[in-house]
């Protein structure tokens, strides 16, 4: 098993591993292209996602509709993710 949540935060691969940093994917920095396994949201190796190009196309269409029709704002400032699953504790 591999965990994208962990591997996408490796400081060996990403300059600001714990920050939302879309500039890391620009042609100048291209941190996602350091190796075939740096960015694994679509898997990797023999069974890598064959729908990646279609998925990106769909995501662009979805965001185009959302951004045209809605004004988005943050509901929570300084949101901290909660990775626990022990809701009953
Ligand atoms: C954001 C959207 C998507 C994400 C995040 C995603 C992610 C992934 C990942 C991580 C794998 C590898 C699974 C593994 O290693 O066992 C995979 C495999 C696969 N994906 Fe996607 N996928 C997406 C969209 C799509 C779409 C739109 C299609 C088809 C239209 C598709 C078709 C497939 C197929 C057929 C495989 C299996 C490839 C193989 O086993 O050789 N995916 N996907």
């Amino acid at each position: 098993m591999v965990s994208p949540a962990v591997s996408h935060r490796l400081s060996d691969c990403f300059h600001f591993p714990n920050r939302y940093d879309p500039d890391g994917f620009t042609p100048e920095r291209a941190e996602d292209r350091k190796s075939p396994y740096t960015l694994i949201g679509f898997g990797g190796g023999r069974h890598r996602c064959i729908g990646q190009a279609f998925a990106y196309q769909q995501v662009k269409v979805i965001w185009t509709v959302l951004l045209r029709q809605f004004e988005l704002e943050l509901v929570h400032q300084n949101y901290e993710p909660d990775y626990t699953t022990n809701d009953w504790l």
Side-chain angles (χ1 to χ4, degrees), residues 6-89:
V6 173
S7 64
H8 290 173
R9 289 180 174 82
L10 294 176
S11 56
D12 285 351
C13 300
F14 299 100
H15 202 69
F16 302 108
N18 292 307
R19 193 190 296 175
Y20 175 63
D21 180 29
D23 291 341
F25 305 107
T26 55
E28 294 76 36
R29 287 175 50 194
E31 295 176 2
D32 53 320
R33 293 173 187 265
K34 280 184 182 168
S35 94
Y37 303 104
T38 308
L39 196 71
I40 56 165
F42 287 95
R46 191 176 291 256
H47 289 281
R48 178 183 183 79
C49 181
I50 56 165
Q52 179 173 345
F54 182 51
Y56 274 129
Q57 194 66 36
Q58 288 179 304
V59 169
K60 285 179 188 170
V61 170
I62 291 164
W63 273 111
T64 302
V65 172
L66 287 176
L67 293 173
R68 280 175 60 141
Q69 297 192 358
F70 297 96
E71 285 287 328
L72 302 179
E73 63 186 53
L74 289 175
V75 175
H76 302 288
Q77 303 291 330
N78 304 320
Y79 175 79
E80 289 291 331
D82 178 3
Y83 294 114
T84 62
T85 54
N86 297 331
D87 291 341
W88 62 89
L89 293 178

